[in-house]
């Protein structure tokens, strides 16, 4: 943890008293790769705003969610989360602020488009919490690598491309095997491993239909995949709430992998090295609220690479909240309004502040569930693209106890 910083750098461009009415972009339709975690985070955020006496407007076309239940938001619009419809609601409701980080990738992408089109500025709507520029820096793979290079944090050797010929050229330069990732995509859509140009052509053709930018990366298949959930307020106070370890190595999507919290096989120096780096990254990017930092770790050499940073509430955030009892989405919404971590009460003790790192004397295991029988022709191999339709969470005193409880529930 850190001492309280009273400098004005990275302070929010608005004050708490200015925000009377907030528009929240909801979770949208549930689909494979995007599950109930965004309904959870949106509901928590609406609860936090209501507690502050802020009027809430929700856009969410999915009626089968908790956040669209009566009494959660003051007003609900069952409309698609696209710039066209969101602008219409903004014109009608005139909100003071908008929350983008609680509706998953769909809400984030929509918010970025609204910002780029100048719609938010035109209607004087303030983005609460993490600035849009930071969201763009974490989502655009090229900008992301440049930003982390500024603080000498290692990222996977990669080249951003916008065409098939560029992609083939980049792969030749890096040398096969490579991994392909699509920018601004969810659930690993359009990603995969390629061992030769033919495989790359096949995959890139598909990936370009989801995204106009691809990242061609040197493959680190087999390295450990570790995640940290980090919370930062506008005063630069930072805590890591939980760290998690993927049972499967790099190359298997987090949503397809068994995940264990807290990590079980990291040494003390590995754990602290990655924790310090996560805090350094979040501060440098200027995130306000909650974020998720994903690493690849080579256990033989303690060498690491940052895979990605999600400047939003993610699947891992929902797991971390439930595993630790620290309400990440609730706290992130309050930090977006301008509170400091030291202002907020710990929701469990009700007497100490939210400026603490939970310590776990138990093990939590998340196991995904697939339903591939319903999809003809789908490969049953797990990989870098998410196919699971849900997940279970088990708690035990030991890893063995937790995983056996989990397997009984699947």
């Amino acid at each position: 943890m850190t001492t309280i910083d009273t400098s004005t750098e990275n302070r929010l461009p608005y004050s708490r008293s200015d925000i009377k009415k907030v528009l929240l972009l909801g979770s949208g339709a549930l689909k494979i790769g995007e599950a109930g975690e965004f309904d959870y985070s949106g509901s928590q955020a609406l609860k936090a705003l209501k507690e502050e006496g802020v009027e809430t407007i929700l856009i969410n076309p999915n009626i089968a969610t908790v956040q669209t239940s009566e009494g959660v938001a003051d007003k609900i619009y069952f409309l698609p989360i696209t710039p066209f419809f969101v602008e219409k609601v903004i014109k009608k409701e005139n909100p003071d602020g908008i929350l983008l980080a609680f509706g998953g990738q769909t809400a984030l992408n929509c918010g970025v488009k609204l910002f780029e089109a100048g719609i938010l500025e035109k209607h004087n709507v303030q983005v609460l919490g993490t600035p849009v520029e930071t969201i763009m820096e974490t989502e655009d793979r090229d900008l992301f690598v440049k930003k982390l290079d500024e603080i000498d944090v290692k990222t996977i050797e990669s080249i951003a491309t916008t065409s098939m010929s560029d992609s083939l050229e980049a792969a030749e330069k890096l040398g096969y095997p490579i991994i392909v990732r699509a920018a601004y995509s969810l659930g690993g859509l359009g990603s995969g491993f390629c061992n030769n140009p033919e495989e790359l052509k096949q995959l890139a053709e598909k990936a370009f239909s989801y995204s106009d930018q691809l990242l061609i990366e040197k493959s680190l298949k087999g390295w450990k995949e570790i995640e940290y959930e980090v919370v930062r307020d506008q005063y630069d106070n930072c805590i890591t709430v939980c760290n998690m370890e993927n049972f499967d190595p790099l190359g298997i999507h987090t949503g397809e992998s068994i995940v264990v919290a807290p990590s079980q096989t990291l040494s003390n120096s590995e754990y602290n090295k990655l924790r310090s780096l996560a805090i350094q990254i979040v501060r440098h990017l200027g995130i306000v609220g909650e974020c998720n930092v994903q690493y690849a770790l080579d256990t033989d050499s303690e060498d690491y690479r940052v895979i990605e940073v999600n400047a939003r509430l993610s699947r891992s955030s929902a797991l971390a909240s439930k595993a630790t009892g620290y309400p990440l989405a609730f706290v992130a919404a309050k930090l977006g309004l301008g509170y400091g971590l030291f202002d907020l009460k710990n929701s469990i003790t009700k007497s100490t502040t939210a400026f603490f790192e939970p310590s776990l004397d138990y093990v939590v295991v998340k196991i995904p569930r697939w339903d591939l029988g319903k999809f003809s022709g789908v490969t049953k191999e797990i990989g870098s693209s998410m196919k699971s339709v849900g997940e279970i969470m088990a708690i035990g005193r030991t890893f063995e106890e937790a995983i056996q409880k989990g397997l009984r529930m699947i």
Side-chain angles (χ1 to χ4, degrees):
M1 282 188 241
T2 62
T3 51
I4 296 166
D5 182 8
T6 52
S7 72
T8 54
E9 201 192 351
N10 267 343
R11 291 277 175 102
L12 298 171
Y14 54 88
S15 72
R16 212 154 55 226
S17 54
D18 300 338
I19 310 298
K20 303 272 189 285
K21 194 190 230 186
V22 171
L23 173 65
L24 186 134
L25 302 187
S27 55
L30 292 189
K31 47 191 180 286
I32 291 178
E34 185 169 345
E37 64 268 16
F38 305 127
D39 184 20
Y40 169 77
S41 54
S43 309
Q44 290 274 317
L46 290 165
K47 189 175 144 192
L49 295 172
K50 201 153 228 186
E51 201 177 89
E52 290 302 313
V54 174
E55 193 184 336
T56 52
I57 291 110
L58 170 69
I59 302 181
N60 190 351
N62 187 353
I63 58 166
T65 56
V66 173
Q67 59 189 236
T68 51
S69 304
E70 201 179 336
V72 179
D74 293 313
K75 209 177 262 188
I76 304 165
Y77 287 88
F78 293 102
L79 293 169
I81 297 164
T82 62
F84 175 78
F85 288 106
V86 175
E87 185 180 12
K88 285 200 174 311
V89 173
I90 288 172
K91 274 183 187 166
K92 188 181 172 197
E93 293 291 344
N94 289 318
D96 302 309
I98 186 169
L99 284 170
L100 308 175
F102 298 87
Q105 199 68 44
T106 313
L108 222 50
N109 292 353
C110 179
V112 168
K113 282 177 190 156
L114 289 166
F115 175 78
E116 287 176 334
I119 292 165
L120 298 177
E121 198 179 347
K122 179 177 152 192
H123 297 287
N124 202 19
V125 180
Q126 195 68 56
V127 174
L128 305 183
T130 301
V132 181
E133 293 85 349
T134 298
I135 292 169
M136 287 156 84
E137 280 162 2
T138 59
E139 293 294 325
D140 184 305
R141 303 287 176 171
D142 219 10
L143 289 176
F144 177 62
V145 171
K146 284 181 185 140
K147 196 76 182 160
L148 292 199
D149 281 348
E150 290 170 14
I151 51 169
D152 295 327
V153 168
K154 293 184 196 172
T155 48
I156 299 174
E157 200 184 338
S158 61
I159 299 166
T161 64
T162 50
S163 69
M164 181 69 82
S165 56
D166 285 353
S167 302
L168 289 162
E169 204 178 301
E172 287 302 325
K173 200 171 169 185
L174 292 172
Y176 291 94
I178 52 131
I179 186 167
V180 175
R181 290 176 190 276
Y184 292 97
S185 75
L186 182 80
L189 209 57
S191 70
F193 286 91
C194 303
N195 297 306
N196 52 53
E198 285 65 44
E199 286 179 17
L200 175 58
K201 274 181 198 163
Q202 232 175 349
L203 187 65
E205 203 171 301
K206 249 194 267 178
F208 275 125
S209 66
Y210 306 123
S211 176
D212 51 10
Q213 187 198 56
L214 296 190
L215 198 72
I216 310 297
E217 294 179 345
K218 188 80 187 133
S219 168
L220 298 177
K221 212 172 186 175
W223 285 33
K224 266 186 198 178
E225 196 169 343
I226 312 287
E227 297 182 58
Y228 279 74
E229 294 298 320
V230 187
V231 175
R232 176 182 176 269
D233 66 16
Q234 63 158 328
Y235 305 105
D236 211 23
N237 298 308
C238 250
I239 56 167
T240 54
V241 170
C242 184
N243 90 314
M244 288 166 274
E245 180 174 6
N246 283 16
F247 193 75
D248 300 282
L250 191 77
I252 306 297
H253 192 278
T254 314
E256 295 285 271
S257 179
I258 293 173
V259 177
V260 188
S263 57
Q264 298 295 296
T265 66
L266 293 190
S267 68
N268 195 32
S269 71
E270 285 169 342
Y271 171 84
N272 283 304
K273 179 182 184 176
L274 298 183
R275 178 188 174 277
S276 303
L277 280 166
I279 288 173
Q280 194 185 345
I281 291 162
V282 169
R283 283 186 165 151
H284 183 64
L285 290 169
I287 283 160
V288 176
E290 197 274 343
C291 110
N292 161 270
V293 183
Q294 294 178 17
Y295 295 101
L297 179 71
D298 178 25
T299 45
D300 296 330
S301 61
E302 261 194 40
D303 196 11
Y304 73 91
R305 296 288 183 278
V306 173
I307 305 168
E308 66 177 352
V309 172
N310 284 318
R312 60 175 167 85
L313 276 289
S314 62
R315 189 178 309 100
S316 308
S317 319
L319 176 64
S321 297
K322 290 166 190 161
T324 60
Y326 192 103
L328 284 167
F330 186 86
V331 169
K334 295 255 182 160
L335 297 181
L337 285 175
Y339 281 100
L341 278 166
F342 46 85
D343 291 323
L344 303 176
K345 286 274 172 276
N346 169 354
S347 61
I348 296 167
T349 65
K350 304 276 191 250
S351 55
T352 54
T353 70
F355 193 14
F356 77 102
E357 298 191 349
S359 57
L360 307 187
D361 59 352
Y362 50 88
V363 176
V364 174
V365 170
K366 178 219 86 177
I367 307 177
R369 170 168 166 70
W370 295 270
D371 203 352
L372 299 178
K374 287 182 181 163
F375 307 103
S376 56
V378 172
T379 167
K380 293 202 173 177
E381 278 184 20
I382 58 172
S384 62
S385 192
M386 186 175 158
K387 295 195 282 269
S388 66
V389 291
E391 55 199 30
I392 63 89
M393 184 182 105
I395 299 176
R397 283 287 179 191
T398 62
F399 171 68
E400 292 83 356
E401 182 190 331
I403 197 159
Q404 285 179 71
K405 277 182 180 174
L407 291 169
R408 281 209 301 271
M409 282 191 273
I410 282 291

